[in-house]
């Protein structure tokens, strides 16, 4: 009878030890998860900082692009004004000095003939 009681007691204690081992493994897994979570949080913060820097760079580049486009439009407008003035002068020359106009046109068409 005592053997049976001892065997039962040993079985109970073995089951308790196994239960404690399982609980210890769960705690270890939870600790591993916490470490992994902390690592992921740190990584997310690092990515957020990098994203902020990239967004700042993108904004700077966008502003620079807009500035360059604006300068390009201004230069195009100046060129157009100069072309308009040149065309007006040529038109006046055509109206009032036809021979001179024809000479200028001929020179423009044949400028490759001169060095």
């Amino acid at each position: 009878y005592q053997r049976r009681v001892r065997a039962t007691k040993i079985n109970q204690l073995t089951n308790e030890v196994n239960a404690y081992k399982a609980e210890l493994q769960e705690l270890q897994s939870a600790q591993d998860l916490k470490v992994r979570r902390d690592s992921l949080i740190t990584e997310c913060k690092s990515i957020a900082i990098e994203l902020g820097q990239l967004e700042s760079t993108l904004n700077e580049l966008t502003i620079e692009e807009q500035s360059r486009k604006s300068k390009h439009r201004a230069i195009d407008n100046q060129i157009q004004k100069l072309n308009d003035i040149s065309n007006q002068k040529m038109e006046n020359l055509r109206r009032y000095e036809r021979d001179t106009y024809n000479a200028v046109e001929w020179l423009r068409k044949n400028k490759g003939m001169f060095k």
Side-chain angles (χ1 to χ4, degrees):
Y1 174 76
Q2 281 185 340
R3 278 187 169 174
R4 208 179 275 171
V5 171
R6 277 187 183 166
T8 305
K9 186 74 169 171
I10 289 173
N11 282 338
Q12 286 176 343
L13 290 174
T14 302
N15 288 339
E16 283 182 36
V17 167
N18 289 336
Y20 287 134
K21 284 181 182 179
E23 187 176 335
L24 185 60
Q25 283 182 331
E26 286 178 23
L27 288 175
Q28 185 63 35
S29 294
Q31 184 65 22
D32 291 344
L33 289 175
K34 183 180 182 299
V35 169
R36 177 72 176 137
R37 185 198 69 193
D38 292 345
S39 171
L40 289 173
I41 288 172
T42 302
E43 188 176 344
C44 285
K45 287 178 182 177
S46 174
I47 289 171
I49 290 170
E50 186 177 353
L51 178 62
Q53 291 170 341
L54 290 173
E55 286 175 344
S56 175
T57 301
L58 178 63
N59 287 337
E60 290 171 8
L61 290 173
T62 301
I63 290 169
E64 185 178 333
E65 177 188 24
Q66 290 171 349
S67 173
R68 287 184 180 189
K69 284 182 178 180
S70 176
K71 287 177 184 177
H72 187 266
R73 281 191 300 271
I75 290 169
D76 284 346
N77 288 339
Q78 284 179 324
I79 291 170
Q80 186 61 42
K81 283 180 185 179
L82 290 173
N83 286 337
D84 289 346
I85 291 170
S86 176
N87 288 338
Q88 286 175 0
K89 286 181 180 181
M90 285 301 290
E91 186 60 30
N92 286 336
L93 193 60
R94 187 183 65 78
R95 281 189 204 154
Y96 302 111
E97 297 291 332
R98 186 70 173 183
D99 290 338
T100 307
Y101 170 80
N102 289 336
V104 170
E105 285 295 308
W106 184 88
L107 284 170
R108 285 184 177 175
K109 289 179 186 173
N110 297 298
K111 65 181 170 186
M113 296 172 59
F114 303 98
K115 288 185 181 181

